[in-house]
Amino acid sequence: MFTQSVRQSRGRSAKITLMDPNELIAHSPELLKGGAAVAGALKLTDLAKAMLGPATAEFAERFRDQVRLYRFGRQLECLKKAERMAQDAGFTPKAVPIKILFPLLEGASLEENEDLHTMWAALLANAASPARNDLVRPGFIAILRQMAPDEGSLLSVIADLTDGHSSLLRSFKATSKPVLDRAIAAHNHIQMERLRATVRQEREEEGATESRLQTCVQLLANAGLVEIGDDIITLSSLGRTFLESCRPPKPVT
């Protein structure tokens, strides 16, 4: 653990406490340069510039400051979450390779959804775990960065349903194949209804829900995370590894 002084937009300093696995975030402020690039994309019309007058430059700089502070704040929150996960799992974090660390913090800084942000933190915690860091692949960062909140929720439900389907096949004792087929068909129908309920929005028409479900499933399949069968959607081997990497590390035994 260490304490670092951070200079805020009006020259004030604030002290923050961070996790320090071999100076894990020694170079993280460099990631904030991306905020200036976003701010540089802000184009003011001639009319707006005329209204702002001499204050145009100050207005643009304030916008850049807000972007930097927002992204840095999300990075710090990600680190705090990862630190708590490491403490709960009972391990001492090790340094995360730069190839994973920088893109990971970059992705976390842009994530507004809290559930997905927690997945970023879990990815960081696992990458810093001496026992589980081999689970985290650089490609997982790209997958998580492109994931929408409803896709993340759907992937978790598909994982649960896949386990339930496997359990049914192992435990169900059918007197004949037709009986088994009917049981599987009924089980698959219940699964699909649960998936629809996961993505359904309040007061939404059935057609819109079905369309979004199909879109989410197809995107997850394109990423290799799920497999689409005739009447069932299951988690792939890659999907299971990805999801395990994006969940808090299990306690060390």
Side-chain angles (χ1 to χ4, degrees), residues 55-101:
T56 300
E58 182 179 351
F59 176 83
E61 188 59 32
R62 284 189 178 185
F63 179 81
R64 293 186 184 96
D65 285 345
Q66 290 177 356
V67 172
R68 292 188 189 104
L69 286 172
Y70 173 79
R71 296 185 65 186
F72 194 33
R74 294 302 278 170
Q75 290 172 357
L76 291 178
E77 185 58 34
C78 180
L79 285 165
K80 291 176 183 177
K81 288 180 180 179
E83 181 179 22
R84 288 194 294 269
M85 291 177 188
Q87 291 173 342
D88 291 344
F91 67 84
T92 300
K94 71 171 196 173
V96 176
I98 295 299
K99 185 175 182 179
I100 291 178
L101 175 64

Side-chain angles (χ1 to χ4, degrees), residues 162-182:
T162 300
D163 292 340
H165 181 74
S166 299
S167 177
L168 173 69
L169 294 179
R170 289 194 303 267
S171 61
F172 189 80
K173 294 180 175 56
T175 55
S176 64
K177 187 176 184 304
V179 172
L180 177 61
D181 289 342
R182 286 196 297 271

Side-chain angles (χ1 to χ4, degrees), residues 209-239:
T209 299
E210 190 66 27
S211 176
R212 186 167 53 262
L213 173 61
Q214 295 303 322
T215 299
C216 290
V217 168
Q218 191 59 60
L219 289 172
L220 293 174
N222 290 346
L225 302 178
V226 302
E227 297 173 349
I228 304 175
D230 294 335
D231 300 307
I232 189 173
I233 301 164
T234 56
L235 193 69
S236 68
S237 176
L238 175 64

Side-chain angles (χ1 to χ4, degrees), residues 182-230:
R182 286 196 297 271
I184 292 176
H187 179 75
N188 292 348
H189 176 74
I190 294 173
Q191 282 190 324
M192 292 305 299
E193 285 302 312
R194 185 175 171 187
L195 295 182
R196 292 186 182 93
T198 300
V199 301
R200 183 177 294 120
Q201 296 181 356
E202 187 177 359
R203 299 179 181 178
E204 182 178 55
E205 294 183 359
E206 184 176 340
T209 299
E210 190 66 27
S211 176
R212 186 167 53 262
L213 173 61
Q214 295 303 322
T215 299
C216 290
V217 168
Q218 191 59 60
L219 289 172
L220 293 174
N222 290 346
L225 302 178
V226 302
E227 297 173 349
I228 304 175
D230 294 335

